[in-house]
Amino acid sequence: MRKILQDEGNRIREADAAAIAKEIYKEIKSARREDKDVVIDSIRNPAEVEYFRIMWPQRFFMLALDASSDIRWLRKQDDYEKNDKEQFKLDDLRDKGDDEPPYGQHTEVCVYLSDVVIDNENQLGYRQDWDLFFYNVKQYIELMRDPEYRQPNDLELYMNLAYAVSLKSSCNKRQVGAIIVSEGMPERYVLAAGCNNVPIGAPICAELGGRSNPRFCAKDSYELQTLKTMKYCPECGIELNLSSAEVVGFKCPKCNKRLPRDFTPGKMLDLCRAVHAEEAAILQTSKLGSSSLNGATLYTTTFPCLLCCKSIINAGIKKIFYREPYPMDESIEMLRKDGITLEKYEGVNAWAFYKMFKVTAY
C-alpha cells in the first residue's frame, strides 16, 4: 500500500512538484477556510513547502514529528506482510528521498525545512503520555499565533547560535556549526564556537575549483578517481566498467552497495580538508585559554562523526544536543559507552527563530 501511494504521489507531481499543494490551496479557498486554522498533513516535497510559504507568507507554519528509522519500524511492522523489514527499509529510504526524482518523496528535506521539530521517539502508552505530548504541541501552536507567547528556551537559543556560526563555513557539501556551553546554575556561558572550515590560511575548496567549478569538493574528487579504477564490486564481485563515472555515491547495480564509500574506512571523512565544527570549537578554547570543558554541553547542528567523538570525550564534554542525524553507528556507540548523554533537538528551528519569537524594538 505504501508503495502504491508513493507511486501515485509521484505521478501527480511529475509535471509540477507543487501540484498537490495547489489543489489543497484551491480547496481551502473554495471552502472559505482561509480565516480559520487549517491543518495540512503528509507534506512530502520541498516544492509543496515553498508554495504554501508563498501563498501564506506570515501564516504558514510547518511542524515536523521526527523519529528514527528503528522506531518507525517498531510502529509499522504489523502493516508489512511477514514483518518484511527489508521492504520497509526500501519504502523508508524512498520516503526520505533516496534516488528519488525532484518531484518525488523528500521527507528528510521537508523535516529540515520545518519551523518546529518535535522529537517523536517516545512510546505513548498511557493517558499522561498523550497529555504531555499534546501539551507540548499546543505550546508551539500558541507560539505560532502569538510570538510573544514565550521566550526561546536555552536549547532553542544555543541551537540557533550554532546554526548562525555554521554560515561562516566555506564547505560546499554541508555547513556545520557547534557551540560549547558551560554547565552550572543559575547561569551558563558560551565557552566556544566553531564551524567546519579549512585550516587557517589554506585555500577553500571553491578556490581550488575555480570559476569553472565553484562547487568543487576535494573528498568527492578523490572518491570519483577511486571509483574509476574499480574493476569489480568488492561485495558481490560483479564486473564494473566505471572509467567514465561521474556520479559520487554510485551504487552497484547488483547489490546496491555505494562504491567506493561503503568499503572505505571512516566513510572517507579523513579525506575532507576541513577541520570539523566540534573540533574547531574545542581547539578555540586552547587558543583563547578558556576554562575547562569538563562537564560542558555541546550543541551541534549535525551529529558528530567518529573523529570528533574522540576529541569530545577527551575534552570532558558530557552532553550533546544535535539537530541533524549522521549515519554512523560507531559514533553513537563510542559516546554512549563513555557515558555521554545524547539528546535529539526539539524546538523552533533556526530559520524560523525570528518569525516565531518577537524582537521588541521599543
Side-chain angles (χ1 to χ4, degrees), residues 134-192:
F134 285 119
Y135 173 80
N136 200 22
V137 172
K138 184 175 182 295
Q139 69 152 320
Y140 293 114
I141 294 174
E142 293 300 328
L143 194 56
M144 294 170 189
R145 291 171 172 161
D146 179 12
E148 293 184 294
Y149 176 71
R150 67 169 174 85
Q151 295 175 311
N153 57 41
D154 283 354
L155 178 53
E156 291 166 329
L157 175 64
Y158 294 133
M159 194 59 76
N160 179 59
L161 290 176
Y163 270 102
V165 173
S166 75
L167 297 177
K168 287 289 291 180
S169 168
S170 63
C171 182
N172 280 330
K173 302 295 289 186
R174 183 194 292 262
Q175 292 175 297
V176 181
I179 298 286
I180 301 176
V181 178
S182 66
E183 280 302 301
M185 296 299 287
E187 293 182 304
R188 296 195 291 174
Y189 303 95
V190 175
L191 301 175

Side-chain angles (χ1 to χ4, degrees), residues 336-352:
R336 283 181 174 163
K337 279 185 176 179
D338 202 73
I340 294 176
T341 303
L342 307 176
E343 296 281 352
K344 185 184 289 186
Y345 176 76
E346 177 177 296
V348 175
N349 283 325
W351 30 95

Side-chain angles (χ1 to χ4, degrees), residues 118-272:
I118 291 181
D119 183 8
N120 195 27
E121 296 276 322
N122 296 327
Q123 185 68 28
L124 303 177
Y126 297 97
R127 174 61 184 269
Q128 56 264 36
D129 298 329
W130 284 100
D131 288 344
L132 182 60
F133 176 79
F134 285 119
Y135 173 80
N136 200 22
V137 172
K138 184 175 182 295
Q139 69 152 320
Y140 293 114
I141 294 174
E142 293 300 328
L143 194 56
M144 294 170 189
R145 291 171 172 161
D146 179 12
E148 293 184 294
Y149 176 71
R150 67 169 174 85
Q151 295 175 311
N153 57 41
D154 283 354
L155 178 53
E156 291 166 329
L157 175 64
Y158 294 133
M159 194 59 76
N160 179 59
L161 290 176
Y163 270 102
V165 173
S166 75
L167 297 177
K168 287 289 291 180
S169 168
S170 63
C171 182
N172 280 330
K173 302 295 289 186
R174 183 194 292 262
Q175 292 175 297
V176 181
I179 298 286
I180 301 176
V181 178
S182 66
E183 280 302 301
M185 296 299 287
E187 293 182 304
R188 296 195 291 174
Y189 303 95
V190 175
L191 301 175
C195 65
N196 56 324
N197 232 332
V198 296
I200 296 172
I204 63 176
C205 284
E207 293 176 357
L208 295 180
R211 289 187 175 182
S212 62
N213 188 14
R215 304 295 298 175
F216 175 81
C217 172
K219 181 170 69 70
D220 283 358
S221 178
Y222 180 86
E223 185 173 345
L224 279 174
Q225 293 307 313
T226 303
L227 179 62
K228 290 177 181 179
T229 64
M230 299 184 74
K231 295 183 178 179
Y232 302 94
C233 173
E235 178 72 12
C236 65
I238 188 176
E239 187 173 3
L240 304 169
N241 181 16
L242 304 171
S243 58
S244 61
E246 296 181 355
V247 180
V248 173
F250 174 85
K251 292 184 178 181
C252 173
K254 183 176 180 181
C255 66
N256 212 37
K257 288 289 185 178
R258 295 178 302 174
L259 305 177
R261 191 174 302 178
D262 287 342
F263 302 94
T264 304
K267 303 290 191 295
M268 307 190 82
L269 285 173
D270 51 347
L271 299 175
C272 177

